[in-house]
Amino acid sequence: MNTTTEEVGELQVVKSLQVYAVLFGCIMALGLPLNAVSLWILLRRHSLKSPNTVFMVNLAISDLLLIISLPMRVYVYATGNWPFSSTACLVTAALFYTNIRSSSIFITFISVDRLLAVVYPLRSRHLRTSTNAWKGVGPIWLIMLVASISVTVKLSGRPPHNHTCFVPHDTNDTAPKISPAAYLDLVLTSSLLAVNVVCTAMVLWTLRSHLSESAKVKNKLNVMLIFVLNLLIFTVCFLPMPIIQVTGLQSLPITCLSAVNCCLDPLLYYFSFDAFWKKQDVEPS
């Protein structure tokens, strides 16, 4: 009877993992063309002299790097086997989580840039330059790279649980160890969400007040949709992950939900430009 119960349990786990293989496969199939086409349009038809474009190009690159890590997840969830080394597992996982963090930061940069463009269009002109935008994104990539390498080197050599990778497993520990990085992620994500909330409130207040500086803002509905979409991505895709991590648990549904952001981000590009498909030399207001 015990053997039968164990076999049934293992069969249920296999079936659930296969469901996640399909879900991650769908995210990859949708996110790859959306971000690849968006990146091509941003580079080909919109000038990198715009800080908004600089942030969005880096966001698209971040999403594409996240998508690159998904094929191995699909393979593992479909077969239940990790055929490569533990280091390869760590690198692939680091690529996934690092680019979720960088995406949250770049989205916040976009919110702050839109805030300055709408609320302080004249006073912020000297700040909203492509040079300053690159100065902002450059250190982010450097920090993410250093953090990923350090974690990979520190954990390198540890075999994946039961020779698999990305698969949560039960633990007998009554009090699972929680990494300090989990608390740092929660603080970072909560802080970035707070910044987006403040930006959204200030822009909404400015647009509704019809202040002189914001009177010439075009497509006000699109402007607000950018902020609404940013808040949606943060609350649905980014925030649940660090909350789960500080509990010491692992959750495939939350991980899957986090990856969905790469499919939602291309909407930001569309709403951020009055004519996304048309070539522009000057950033719209």
Side-chain angles (χ1 to χ4, degrees):
M1 184 66 180
N2 291 335
T3 303
T4 304
T5 303
E6 291 177 359
E7 290 178 350
V8 172
E10 290 179 0
L11 183 60
Q12 290 177 343
V13 170
V14 170
K15 288 183 177 180
S16 65
L17 291 180
Q18 290 175 346
V19 170
Y20 289 110
V22 174
L23 292 176
F24 278 107
C26 292
I27 293 173
M28 181 178 62
L30 182 61
L32 180 59
L34 283 176
N35 284 279
V37 171
S38 296
L39 181 60
W40 182 85
I41 293 173
L42 288 169
L43 292 175
R44 185 70 181 268
R45 300 181 179 275
H46 296 273
S47 174
L48 281 177
K49 295 180 180 179
S50 161
N52 197 35
T53 306
V54 170
F55 295 140
M56 291 187 178
V57 165
N58 282 272
L59 177 60
I61 293 174
S62 178
D63 287 339
L64 286 172
L65 290 174
L66 185 149
I67 292 170
I68 289 174
S69 71
L70 296 184
M72 294 313 303
R73 284 185 177 268
V74 173
Y75 177 83
V76 169
Y77 297 148
T79 65
N81 180 54
W82 176 255
F84 305 109
S85 65
S86 59
T87 301
C89 173
L90 289 170
V91 170
T92 307
L95 194 63
F96 182 89
Y97 291 107
T98 295
N99 287 285
I100 286 180
R101 297 185 186 101
S102 61
S103 293
S104 66
I105 295 174
F106 294 146
I107 287 176
T108 304
F109 282 170
I110 292 171
S111 290
V112 173
D113 177 74
R114 295 295 83 194
L115 165 71
L116 294 175
V118 173
V119 182
Y120 309 107
L122 300 179
R123 285 176 283 178
S124 65
R125 281 185 175 180
H126 67 288
L127 295 175
R128 296 182 58 251
T129 64
S130 60
T131 300
N132 287 337
W134 285 112
K135 288 180 180 179
V137 300
I140 298 303
W141 284 119
L142 181 59
I143 292 172
M144 294 300 170
L145 178 62
V146 172
S148 297
I149 293 176
S150 62
V151 171
T152 302
V153 171
K154 180 179 179 181
L155 299 179
S156 181
R158 299 183 183 180
H161 182 75
N162 290 338
H163 307 290
T164 61
C165 187
F166 316 130
V167 180
H169 54 276
D170 296 330
T171 176
N172 295 324
D173 297 336
T174 56
K177 295 181 180 179
I178 302 174
S179 170
Y183 294 102
L184 182 61
D185 280 344
L186 181 59
V187 172
L188 174 64
T189 305
S190 300
S191 300
L192 294 175
L193 176 58
V195 172
N196 279 271
V197 170
V198 171
C199 289
T200 302
M202 292 183 65
V203 169
L204 178 61
W205 179 80
T206 301
L207 293 178
R208 295 188 64 179
S209 299
H210 303 290
L211 298 181
S212 57
E213 278 193 325
S214 66
K216 296 182 180 180
V217 175
K218 299 178 182 178
N219 294 330
K220 295 183 179 181
L221 178 59
N222 280 11
V223 172
M224 286 311 306
L225 284 175
I226 294 171
F227 289 94
V228 171
L229 186 58
N230 286 350
L231 293 179
L232 176 66
I233 293 173
F234 260 90
T235 54
V236 174
C237 300
F238 294 148
L239 189 59
M241 176 67 74
I243 292 178
I244 288 294
Q245 287 178 336
V246 297
T247 64
L249 302 176
Q250 302 181 64
S251 174
L252 282 180
I254 298 300
T255 303
C256 187
L257 199 59
S258 298
V260 173
N261 86 90
C262 69
C263 298
L264 296 177
D265 289 342
L267 294 176
L268 289 175
Y269 316 141
Y270 177 79
F271 290 128
S272 292
F273 296 99
D274 293 334
F276 179 64
W277 297 94
K278 296 180 181 180
K279 186 173 182 179
Q280 292 180 206
D281 295 323
V282 181
E283 179 194 18
S285 58

